[in-house]
Amino acid sequence: MKYTGIYLLCLFLLQAKESYSQDIQASNPTQISGTVGITNNGISIVPSFSLEKPATIFNMSISKGRFSFDPELAFSLEAKPWYSLFWFRYNLSPRLSKFKMNVGTHLGLNFVTIPLPGSKDSIQVQKTDRYFVLELFPRYQLSKHLTMGIYYLRSQGLTPATLNALNFVTLYTDISHIQLSKKATLGITPQIYYLNIDGKDGYYLTSEISISWKDFPIIFKSTMNKTFESTVEGSKPFLWNIKLVYPLKGGKIRP
């Protein structure tokens, strides 16, 4: 009888532990989401650079708890790869806090078409440049419609004859959920940023505008980028694009 009681007590504790673990896992499921967009002019994560031709961009996010894996793949409409980013991110702040702090890193691949060395004909080959990137993104939600913060990105080239060091710092403002009508919602993200690439630098203004409609699957977006002063090679005085974004149906995966 003595050992039977101990056995039943152990069985009860193991069952309670298993139920508790399942409750914790059930309250923290894996979430999957994504978007696919098409634009008349591909603009990169650093808005002073663009593909200068139409592009398709796929975004995906797989998150669980504070961790997320966020791949981003971009192609020209000729199906030639433009860049591939494989983000790993971690949220340092509590879930319900108005202050958010994200840190992230990725291995970036940038695909460039260049003439074949030593070829007398105009043969083009594709070169892959590799970059190791770190990001830091603290921000604070001032209200339902306004979030402000600072975004910092550091990139280090891993391939010979590529850009060595890139530093990108932006003052971030997000104005969201502005009701234009009963069905239309407006969002604006203006940013002033500083860019330094291998000692050459510049100051820029960029802004993204988005409009979404209730019960309509497409989101309309437009990005504009203005150069104030820059010695960075490849910087254009003004860039803009129009992008149509389709949110992919995501969901939650229970363990």
Side-chain angles (χ1 to χ4, degrees):
M1 180 67 67
K2 175 182 177 182
Y3 292 107
T4 302
I6 295 176
Y7 171 76
L8 292 175
L9 177 60
C10 292
L11 184 63
F12 172 77
L13 292 175
L14 288 172
Q15 181 64 33
K17 179 179 182 298
E18 182 179 354
S19 299
Y20 176 76
S21 299
Q22 289 177 350
D23 290 341
I24 292 297
Q25 291 178 348
S27 64
N28 189 23
T30 301
Q31 301 187 50
I32 300 176
S33 61
T35 63
V36 56
I38 185 169
T39 176
N40 67 312
N41 181 21
I43 294 179
S44 73
I45 188 173
V46 178
S48 56
F49 301 120
S50 70
L51 184 62
E52 299 184 3
K53 61 175 64 175
T56 301
I57 301 173
F58 297 90
N59 288 278
M60 188 176 183
S61 180
I62 304 172
S63 63
K64 184 175 180 62
R66 298 189 178 191
F67 288 95
S68 69
F69 172 57
D70 308 315
E72 180 175 335
L73 309 175
F75 302 85
S76 71
L77 293 191
E78 301 167 344
K80 293 182 178 180
W82 175 21
Y83 66 79
S84 298
L85 310 179
F86 301 95
W87 283 104
F88 291 89
R89 291 186 169 106
Y90 183 74
N91 182 10
L92 295 171
S93 53
R95 185 170 61 89
L96 299 179
S97 173
K98 290 188 176 182
F99 176 76
K100 303 293 183 183
M101 170 74 82
N102 289 80
V103 294
T105 182
H106 81 243
L107 172 65
L109 304 176
N110 190 52
F111 304 97
V112 182
T113 300
I114 61 173
L116 180 65
S119 174
K120 297 181 180 179
D121 300 322
S122 56
I123 300 176
Q124 301 287 315
V125 295
Q126 193 171 73
K127 174 175 174 285
T128 303
D129 296 331
R130 295 177 294 116
Y131 298 89
F132 179 72
V133 179
L134 296 172
E135 72 170 3
L136 183 64
F137 189 17
R139 58 204 184 277
Y140 187 81
Q141 184 179 356
L142 298 171
S143 70
K144 176 183 177 182
H145 302 283
L146 180 62
T147 299
M148 299 185 71
I150 298 174
Y151 179 81
Y152 172 67
L153 182 144
R154 163 78 180 191
S155 173
Q156 187 70 38
L158 301 177
T159 307
T162 62
L163 300 177
N164 184 28
L166 180 149
N167 290 279
F168 172 66
V169 184
T170 177
L171 299 178
Y172 171 88
T173 304
D174 182 31
I175 306 169
S176 60
H177 302 100
I178 303 172
Q179 290 297 136
L180 298 178
S181 66
K182 290 183 179 180
K183 293 189 175 182
T185 304
L186 172 69
I188 305 174
T189 309
Q191 300 177 62
I192 297 175
Y193 67 93
Y194 169 76
L195 177 64
N196 187 302
I197 301 178
D198 294 340
K200 297 182 179 181
D201 59 2
Y203 298 88
Y204 309 81
L205 171 66
T206 186
S207 182
E208 181 180 77
I209 299 173
S210 65
I211 301 177
S212 59
W213 291 268
K214 185 179 179 181
D215 301 325
F216 186 71
I218 303 297
I219 301 173
F220 170 88
K221 292 189 176 185
S222 179
T223 299
M224 292 167 283
N225 189 83
K226 171 65 178 176
T227 301
F228 288 129
E229 179 181 346
S230 178
T231 58
V232 177
E233 295 181 7
S235 294
K236 302 291 191 302
F238 183 75
L239 288 173
W240 72 278
N241 74 359
I242 294 174
K243 182 163 64 173
L244 301 178
V245 178
Y246 179 76
L248 301 175
K249 292 183 179 181
K252 299 179 180 179
I253 300 177
R254 300 286 180 177

